[in-house]
């Protein structure tokens, strides 16, 4: 049988876990919305939008969730923090360059991968 103190500890742990899951769910929705903003602005595919967010976060030392919040608020507030505003075009260009390079690799595999 479980003692009262142990039940209290388990209840507290479960409450903390539920709160963490709620926070994660909210963060995920915010990131998805930011990806939508990025792919609209940059004319990118969804997976490229994720890479843009990651690139901005890593190169500005701003948490990804905060970058996402700034981008989601941008259309309605018409304001984007300077550091994010400068990083966005560079990140979009970086992701496009990677996609182009990957496309060239795919073409080379198709041409070179067939027996001659």
């Amino acid at each position: 049988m479980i003692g009262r103190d142990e039940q209290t500890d388990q209840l507290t742990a479960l409450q903390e876990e539920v709160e963490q899951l709620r926070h994660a769910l909210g963060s995920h929705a915010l990131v998805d919305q930011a990806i939508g903003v990025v792919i609209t602005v940059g004319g990118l595919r969804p997976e490229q939008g994720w890479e843009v967010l990651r690139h901005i976060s890593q190169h500005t030392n701003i948490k990804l969730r905060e970058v996402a919040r700034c981008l989601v608020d941008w259309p309605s507030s018409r304001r984007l923090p300077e550091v994010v505003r400068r990083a966005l075009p560079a990140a979009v260009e970086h992701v496009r360059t990677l996609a182009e390079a990957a496309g060239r690799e795919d073409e080379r595999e198709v041409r070179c991968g067939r027996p001659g």
Side-chain angles (χ1 to χ4, degrees):
M1 189 187 267
I2 299 175
R4 200 152 192 53
D5 288 341
E6 194 173 335
Q7 285 178 335
T8 301
D9 291 345
Q10 286 178 345
L11 180 60
T12 300
L14 287 171
Q15 288 171 331
E16 289 173 3
E17 185 177 355
V18 166
E19 186 56 36
Q20 290 171 353
L21 290 170
R22 284 184 178 149
H23 182 74
L25 187 59
S27 294
H28 185 72
L30 182 67
V31 168
D32 283 348
Q33 291 171 6
I35 288 171
V37 171
V38 169
I39 64 176
T40 300
V41 169
L44 303 171
R45 294 187 316 274
E47 64 275 9
Q48 291 173 311
W50 164 251
E51 291 300 324
V52 167
L53 289 181
R54 231 174 46 123
H55 189 271
I56 292 171
S57 176
Q58 289 175 345
H59 288 83
T60 62
N61 202 26
I62 300 172
K63 291 187 182 233
L64 192 129
R65 178 176 162 70
E66 182 62 18
V67 171
R69 189 191 60 73
C70 292
L71 288 167
V72 167
D73 290 347
W74 176 32
S76 61
S77 71
R78 298 179 189 235
R79 290 191 350 239
L80 193 60
E82 180 71 18
V83 66
V84 177
R85 187 183 63 74
R86 280 185 279 126
L88 180 58
V92 168
E93 184 60 31
H94 172 75
V95 168
R96 280 192 180 133
T97 301
L98 290 177
E100 289 171 6
R104 286 192 296 273
E105 286 296 317
D106 290 345
E107 288 174 16
R108 199 171 15 250
E109 286 178 21
V110 169
R111 277 186 267 133
C112 298
R114 299 190 71 146

